Amino acid sequence: MASEQILVVDDDAVTARFIASLLREHSYDVLVAEDGANALELVGRHELAMVVCDLVMPYRDGYSVLRAIRQNEKYHDLPVLLLSMRDREEDVVKGLEEGADDYVIKPFNARELLARIRKILNRKRRVT
Amino acid sequence: MEQILIWTILAISGVFLVMTILIIANKAWRETQAAMRARRRKELEPKILSWAHGDAKSVRDALAETPSSFDKSVLEQILLDHIQRVRGIERDRLGRAMEQLHLIDGYLAGLESRRWWRRAESAEKLGLAACKRAVQPLAQALDDEMPEVRLRAAKALGRLGGEASARKLVHALNEPTRWSTIRIADILIGMGHQSIDAVIESFPGLSHDGQLAVLDIVGQVRPVSASPWLLKRLESESSDIRARACHALGSIGDPNMAIELSAAINDREWPVRAMAAKALGRMRVAEAIPKLANALRDEEWWVRHNAALALRSIGPRGIEALENLVADGDAFAREQAILMLEESGRLDERAGELAQGGSTVRTAAKAFLERVVAAGTTERLRVLSREHPLAEVRHELLALLPEKSIS
C-alpha cells in the first residue's frame, strides 16, 4: 500500500522540518508548504490524506486555508489539523467551529501530535 | 611640495584599498561560513531529529562520527532551535543530546565567565535546554551584578519550571530595588500552578510589595486550592492586602467562598468593599444578594457601581433585587439600580411588557415603571416614549411620564 501523503503548512521552517521528520519517521509521505497560498496550490495538485496547518501565517492564515478547503467541492472533506501558539479557549473553539478536525497547541508534544494525526487518518479510512 | 602631495594621495588610496579588500574578504568569509553551516545543517539535522524521534541511547552513535568543533556549533544551533518548539519525550531527548555533546557543561562554565554577555547567553541557553541541574547555578545568577544576566537567569528558571525554580524566583520579589517585581511576577505566572506552593509558603517573609505581587500571581493562576489561604488574607492589617485578596478570590470564582467573602463588603476601607463586591459578582452566588443590595447604599461610588454590576451578573434574582432597589429610601441606591437596569436592557424589556403578555405582566411592568418615574431617572423612558417601535408602548409611557419631562 502506498504511504499516505500529508501536507505540513508552517511559515516557521524549523517547526515544519520537525513535523515532516516526525511523519517521515513513521512512513508517511510529506509535502511542506511555507504559506497558505502555496498550501492551497498543493492541495489542488495532490491526493492528500490530510493537512497539518499552522494558524498564524503572513498573507493567508490557517483559518483562511481551512475555509478555502471546506468551500471547495473537490476536497471539502480533507481532514485538517490546526497548530497554533494561541492557547486561549476561544481560539481553540473558533478553530474547531471553522471546521478543523483537531487543534494542537504549540509547543506541542510530538508523540501526542502523531497520535492525533493517526486518529484522524483512521477515522477517514473508516468513512471511505 | 608636489612630491608630498603625491605621497599623501597614494597613502590615502592605499589605506582605502586595504580597507576595501578587508571588508570584501570579511564578507566573503562570513558568507562562506554561513553556506558551510547551512550545508552541514542539512546533513546533521535529519540525524538529530531521527534520534529524537527514536529510542537509541547515545546521540554520538546517531551521528556516526565524533563532531568537530565546527559541527558542534552547528549541532548546538539545531538543538536550540528545536528544543524550544516541542514538549514531552522529544524535548527531553533533545536536552539529553545537549548533555551528551557537553553543551550543557559549556553553558554552566559560561555562567562563571568574566564577560557579562557570555553569562547572559549561557543563562538563556540553559533555560532553552530545560536542564534541571542548572537550577542552582541559575539561582546564583539571580544575584549577578548585571541586570541583563539576572533577568535572563530568571526567565531561564521560569522556562525550567518546577517548584525548585519557583522557590528561587520568589525571593527575587523581595528585591524591588534590583528587580522589576512585575517581570518576576510575570515569569511566576507563566509557570502556572507549579509556582503556587512556593509563592504561598514564601508570603510571610516577603516585603509588602512582594506580598501584593504574590496575591496578583495567585489571582492570575487561579488555583481553587488557594481559596482558603486567600480568605485568611482578609484578616490582614493592610487594606491593600485585603483588597488584592478579594480580587484574587473573585478571579478564582469558587462559590464556596462567597459567604465568608461577603463579610468583606462591610470592610472599613472602600477599596476592599469595592473589590469584595466585584468578586461576589464573579462568583454569581444568590446568597450574596442581600449584602450586595445593601452595598448599593455605600457612600463610595465604586462600591455602589461594583455591587450593581455584581447583582446584574448573578442573573434573574440579582436583576429582581435591582428592581426592588428602584423604590429604595437611599437616592444613590435608586440611581445606581436604575442605571444598571438600563445598561442591562431590563428597563427596555419592562417597557416592552406594557404591550405584551397577560394583564398580570402588564400591570407589574406598569407598577415598576411608575416607581422608576417616581425615582426621577426618566431619561431612557423619555427616549422610549418617542422611539419604541410599538405605538402602544409609546402611548403607555407618555401617560406614565410627567408632562414636563416629555419634551
Side-chain angles (χ1 to χ4, degrees):
Chain A
M1 190 181 95
S3 59
E4 289 163 304
Q5 196 166 46
I6 299 176
L7 173 64
V8 176
V9 193
D10 203 319
D11 60 323
D12 175 24
V14 177
T15 304
R17 285 204 299 273
F18 185 92
I19 298 170
S21 143
L22 176 75
L23 294 172
R24 285 188 187 119
E25 199 70 28
H26 291 83
S27 307
Y28 292 105
D29 184 11
V30 183
L31 292 174
V32 175
E34 72 280 6
D35 59 49
N38 187 217
L40 289 174
E41 200 186 311
L42 290 173
V43 166
R45 282 212 320 254
H46 293 79
E47 281 290 320
L48 297 170
M50 74 172 288
V51 178
V52 176
C53 186
D54 183 31
L55 193 57
V56 182
M57 292 185 290
Y59 312 119
R60 196 148 198 182
D61 66 7
Y63 291 132
S64 160
V65 172
L66 181 59
R67 275 194 291 271
I69 289 175
R70 293 289 172 256
Q71 283 163 9
N72 190 297
E73 253 182 55
K74 201 175 144 200
Y75 41 78
H76 64 93
D77 55 352
L78 178 65
V80 177
L81 181 148
L82 285 179
L83 266 178
S84 178
M85 286 180 87
R86 291 184 181 171
D87 58 355
R88 290 178 315 168
E89 196 179 322
E90 52 264 42
D91 294 320
V92 180
V93 170
K94 188 182 176 197
L96 295 173
E97 280 180 354
E98 291 274 353
D101 292 81
D102 207 343
Y103 189 107
V104 173
I105 292 161
K106 290 183 183 176
F108 54 84
N109 184 320
R111 298 183 190 213
E112 184 189 319
L113 175 67
L114 187 65
R116 287 174 186 270
I117 288 171
R118 278 179 173 155
K119 193 179 163 194
I120 291 172
L121 291 175
N122 283 339
R123 198 166 53 213
K124 190 188 174 200
R125 268 184 235 120
R126 276 201 301 274
V127 171
T128 54
Chain B
M1 187 67 189
E2 200 177 305
Q3 202 79 333
I4 295 169
L5 195 66
I6 290 168
W7 278 111
T8 308
I9 292 169
L10 280 174
I12 292 170
S13 306
V15 168
F16 272 112
L17 186 66
V18 170
M19 279 174 65
T20 308
I21 291 169
L22 280 176
I23 290 168
I24 291 170
N26 183 275
K27 194 169 166 14
W29 184 78
R30 279 172 186 274
E31 281 179 5
T32 309
Q33 281 283 307
M36 277 169 66
R37 285 182 75 86
R39 199 169 55 237
R40 199 64 186 126
R41 181 172 179 137
K42 229 174 173 175
E43 291 162 2
L44 292 172
E45 194 172 46
K47 292 180 184 174
I48 287 290
L49 292 180
S50 178
W51 181 83
H53 303 319
D55 54 11
K57 281 209 166 80
S58 169
V59 73
R60 286 175 187 277
D61 293 343
L63 294 170
E65 57 192 312
T66 308
S68 63
S69 61
F70 177 77
D71 277 359
K72 221 168 146 180
S73 78
V74 176
L75 285 167
E76 179 189 22
Q77 198 52 58
I78 294 170
L79 288 163
L80 286 171
D81 279 349
H82 286 285
I83 202 167
Q84 54 191 300
R85 288 172 167 81
V86 287
R87 290 188 291 124
I89 297 169
E90 255 79 354
R91 179 179 153 129
D92 292 347
R93 284 183 65 77
L94 292 169
R96 206 183 306 161
M98 296 184 88
E99 283 277 10
Q100 289 176 10
L101 293 168
H102 301 296
L103 294 169
I104 303 292
D105 291 336
Y107 302 151
L108 289 170
L111 280 182
E112 308 288 327
S113 171
R114 276 187 299 168
R115 300 186 192 105
W116 73 264
W117 58 89
R118 177 125 195 264
R119 295 199 299 278
E121 194 183 71
S122 297
E124 188 174 355
K125 287 178 176 174
L126 282 167
L128 290 174
C131 171
K132 293 289 175 198
R133 70 185 170 103
V135 171
Q136 195 52 41
L138 284 170
Q140 279 169 4
L142 292 176
D143 291 324
D144 197 282
E145 61 186 24
M146 293 299 294
E148 186 61 26
V149 179
R150 296 201 298 270
L151 182 64
R152 293 214 203 170
K155 283 184 177 171
L157 281 169
R159 271 184 164 272
L160 278 174
E163 226 178 292
S165 299
R167 279 180 208 288
K168 305 290 181 191
L169 281 169
V170 170
H171 293 290
L173 291 174
N174 244 355
E175 299 172 68
T177 51
R178 302 180 68 202
W179 287 95
S180 158
T181 308
I182 294 169
R183 278 179 157 180
I184 297 296
D186 278 347
I187 293 170
L188 285 162
I189 289 165
M191 291 174 78
H193 286 254
Q194 53 189 334
S195 70
I196 294 302
D197 285 350
V199 297
I200 286 179
E201 268 176 40
S202 311
F203 186 85
L206 292 174
S207 62
H208 183 68
D209 287 345
Q211 291 186 337
L212 294 179
V214 164
L215 291 166
D216 287 343
I217 293 165
V218 175
Q220 294 259 357
V221 177
R222 301 191 291 173
V224 178
S225 60
S227 298
W229 177 82
L230 285 168
L231 272 182
K232 278 273 175 203
R233 307 285 75 77
L234 298 179
E235 295 163 12
S236 168
E237 285 293 306
S238 157
S239 61
D240 290 340
I241 300 274
R242 297 197 302 277
R244 301 269 182 121
C246 286
H247 186 260
L249 279 163
S251 299
I252 293 171
D254 179 3
N256 297 320
M257 302 294 129
I259 301 298
E260 282 145 302
L261 173 63
S262 62
I265 217 164
N266 297 320
D267 196 279
R268 59 190 179 277
E269 300 290 341
W270 73 262
V272 183
R273 299 198 298 275
M275 281 298 155
K278 193 174 176 181
L280 286 167
R282 287 182 166 178
M283 290 177 181
R284 298 179 185 184
V285 172
E287 283 74 14
I289 288 175
K291 293 228 172 183
L292 285 168
N294 198 40
L296 253 75
R297 301 176 190 112
D298 198 284
E299 59 193 19
E300 281 295 332
W301 181 87
W302 272 112
V303 182
R304 297 197 299 272
H305 178 69
N306 283 358
L309 269 174
L311 285 170
R312 176 184 169 182
S313 62
I314 284 173
R317 289 177 66 184
I319 294 286
E320 191 187 330
L322 282 170
E323 288 189 348
N324 291 336
L325 283 159
V326 165
D328 198 81
D330 186 297
F332 289 126
R334 288 198 304 269
E335 188 199 12
Q336 194 58 244
I338 293 170
L339 281 174
M340 195 49 62
L341 289 166
E342 189 182 317
E343 266 181 42
S344 68
R346 182 61 179 154
L347 205 60
D348 289 29
E349 268 176 39
R350 285 297 225 170
E353 284 170 6
L354 291 173
Q356 291 164 9
S359 65
T360 321
V361 174
R362 189 185 294 238
T363 311
K366 194 171 178 184
F368 166 74
L369 292 169
E370 277 171 355
R371 292 203 296 275
V372 174
V373 172
T377 312
T378 54
E379 211 167 304
R380 178 65 191 159
L381 292 182
R382 282 206 305 274
V383 172
L384 289 172
S385 71
R386 290 193 302 270
E387 297 173 5
H388 198 282
L390 298 173
E392 194 178 350
V393 171
R394 293 198 299 274
H395 175 77
E396 289 280 351
L397 285 173
L398 282 171
L400 278 174
L401 289 162
E403 261 181 52
K404 59 178 178 181
S405 56
I406 296 172
S407 61

